[in-house]
Amino acid sequence: MADIIQLLPDHVANQIAAGEVVQRPASVVKELLENAIDAGAATIKLIVKDAGKTLIQVIDDGKGMSVTDARLSFERHATSKIRTADDLFQLHTKGFRGEALASIAAIARVELKTKQEQDDVGTAIVIEGSNVTSQEVVVTPKGTSISVKNLFFNIPARRNFLKSNTVELRHIIDEFHRVSLAHSNISFALYNNGSESFNLPISNYRQRIVNIFGNKTNERLVPVEEDTEVLKISGFVGKPEFAKKTRGEQYFFVNNRFIKSAYLNHAIASAFDGLLKNGTHPSYFLNLEVDPQTIDINIHPTKTEIKFDDEHTLYALLRSAVKHSLGQFNIAPVLDFERDPNLDTPYEYKNKNTNVPKVEVDRSFNPFQDETRSKSTTTYKKEPTANWEGLYVGLESKGTKTQQDFSEVHFESEESTPSIFDEEKQIETVNTTYQLHNKYIVSTIKSGMLVLDQHRAHQRILYEELLKNMTIKEAVSQQLLFPLQLHFSTQEITIVKQLKDDLENTGFVFSNFDDESLEITGVPVSVPESEVSIILEQLISDVENEVPDSHFSATDLLAKSMAKSLAIKTGQSLQKDEQEHLVNKLFACKEPNITPTNRSTFITLSVDELDKKFI
Ligand code: ADP
Ligand code: MG
C-alpha cells in the first residue's frame, strides 16, 4: 500500500491552530492588546467595528519591529519572548507561544504598520489567509498598528457561528476590562463604531477600577493588602452590601494576567461567608504576585487557566487576607448576622441598646405612664435613660435584677435553644401568625411561641419538594410562549449539560444546546420566566464554587441551589394565609428545623422561658 501520510501545508496548519487561539473577535482583541503590552507601550488604542466582525485595530506606541521581525512575526512559532523551554518558567511577558499573529493572519486580512524608535521609516505588510500580498516602506509613528479585517472570511462556518453584535461586543468589552485592569500604568481607549466607549488614563489601581465601572464604585471598595514570602496580594473587594446577583465583577490577576480559578474564587466566597444576602456574589479586583517559577500558565491555549504549585497555601492566604480586610474596615461586625443563628436578629435591632420587657411595678415609678401598653407586650427603647434607673431602683429593692441585666435583655432569649422534637408534635395546624419586619413569622404553639425565618423555612420546603420531584420525575412544566435563549461560556454550558437530566425532572425543557448558548422552551411551574437566568447562573456558580474535593451530588446541589433562588426573600411581605401555609408546610417537612445548608429555620420560646424574663 502506498504511503498516505502528508505534512499539512502551513496555511492549513495555521487555520487549525487558529481554531484554538481565535474563537471569536474578543480572542483577537486579547492577543493584540497583550502584544502591545509586551512591546512596552504606554498608550494603547482599540478600535472595533461591528463588534469586531468587520474591523479590530490595535494601535500602540511600543517598541515596534524591524523589517525582518515584521515579516517573521506572522510565522508560526515565531516569538521574541522565549528561546528555550526553560524560559517558560521565568515568564514576564503575556505571549510566548508565537502563534497568535500566524493564526490571525490565516483567517483574516491583516494590515501591519510598525516602526522602531531609531528608524526613520517603518514597514507595512498586508497578509491575507496566510499570503503576504504587499510589503512596503511607510512613514508611520513609532510603535505598531495592526488591523484585522473580515475575521473568518475564509471559514464561513466559523463566521456564521458568531453571535449577535451585542454578544460579541460584550465579550470584547470583557476582554478590554480584564487587560486594562491588569495594567493601570498604561493608558487605554476603546472606540466602537466610531465613538469612544472608554478612555482610561494612566492612574492608580483604584482610579482605574472607578474609571471603568463608574464613580459610585469608589465608596464600595475595601482595600486588601498582604505581603508574604510566597505571595503578595493587593487590590480590592466590594463591600458585601453591594454584592451582585451575577458574577460580573470578579477579577483575579496573577502576575498581571487575568485568570479564572473556581478554587480561588471559593476562597473569597468563604471569606465573605455570612456577610452576603442569598444569591449574591461579591465583587473583587485582586492581584496576586507569585514567583513565576511556581506557576504553570501553559495548560490552556488562551492562557486563562494556570496551575499553582501550592494551591492550598494560596487558598488559605487569600481567604484570610480578605477576611482581615472586611473585618478591619468594620464591615464584618455590622453585618455578621450569621454568628449564631439562634440569636439571629433583624438588622434594625442590632444597634439598639435595649429591648426592655415591660415590667408591671408600682405605677408611680413608671416614667412611661402616659404611654399605653397591654400587659404582655414587649417594648423597645432606643437608649436607657436616667428615668429607667428610677424604675430599676424599685426593682432592685426586691433584690432581683441589676441594670446590667436589663441592658442585656434581647428580643430573642439567649436561653431559647429550641427543643425541636417536643415542639414538633404540638404544631399541627396553625391559625395565628404574625409577620415581623417582613422577615420572621411569629406564631403561638402549645408551649409558648415560635419564631420562624421565612426565607430559611421556605428553602427547606422547596428543597424537599424539588428533591422529591427529581427522584419521582413527575414535575409539571409550563410551556413558554417564546423560547428563551441564554448565553453562557463554554464551561458554564458544560455544567448545565451535566445537570440537564435533573433539571428536566424539575420541569425545565431544553430544546437546544450549543457551545455557548442554550434554549429553554419550558420551565417548572414555580419558576417565573424572569428568574430563569438568575437561577441558572446561581446554579452554575454553586457548582463552580463547590469545594473541589468535597462530596458532590449533582441532584442535591441542584435542589439546594434552586431552593435558595426560589425561596421567599427577607423583606417580602406575606398575607396571613401565606404565613400560615408556610408554617404548616415547614412542619410537614422531614427535617423542618434546619435549612438544606444546616442553619436553623426557627426558634421557640416557651412560656417558662418567658416567665423567667418577667421575674
Ligand atoms: P507571542 O506574543 O506569543 O510571541 P505573537 O504571534 O503574538 O506571539 O507575536 C509574534 C511576535 O511578534 C512577538 O514575539 C513580538 O516579537 C512581535 N510583535 C507582535 N506584536 C507586536 C507589537 N504590537 N509590537 C512589537 N512587536 C510585536
Ligand atoms: Mg502574542
Side-chain angles (χ1 to χ4, degrees), residues 150-220:
N150 301 335
L151 191 65
F152 298 131
F153 78 101
N154 52 356
I155 317 182
R158 298 292 300 277
R159 194 167 170 90
N160 294 338
F161 188 71
L162 291 178
K163 298 284 171 334
S164 68
N165 284 4
T166 325
V167 174
E168 295 299 344
L169 184 65
R170 186 69 249 159
H171 285 286
I172 289 179
I173 292 174
D174 283 348
E175 215 54 78
F176 179 80
H177 284 169
R178 292 167 181 176
V179 174
S180 56
L181 277 170
H183 297 273
S184 59
N185 58 337
I186 299 176
S187 123
F188 288 90
L190 166 58
Y191 300 87
N192 172 36
N193 289 338
S195 61
E196 183 183 279
S197 306
F198 289 94
N199 190 345
L200 312 171
I202 292 174
S203 62
N204 63 26
Y205 190 46
R206 186 176 198 127
Q207 196 57 48
R208 173 61 48 98
I209 297 171
V210 171
N211 285 339
I212 293 177
F213 297 104
N215 282 333
K216 59 183 187 318
T217 322
N218 196 20
E219 51 165 322
R220 302 180 179 180

Side-chain angles (χ1 to χ4, degrees), residues 349-369:
Y349 293 123
K350 277 282 173 198
N351 297 324
K352 299 197 175 177
N353 287 339
T354 47
N355 295 327
V356 184
K358 170 108 163 52
V359 179
E360 290 296 320
V361 286
D362 185 345
R363 280 244 147 219
S364 60
F365 278 110
N366 193 336
F368 302 114
Q369 54 191 340

Side-chain angles (χ1 to χ4, degrees), residues 222-223 322-333:
V222 179
V322 172
K323 245 185 146 66
H324 180 76
S325 292
L326 288 172
Q328 218 182 22
F329 282 79
N330 240 348
I331 313 291

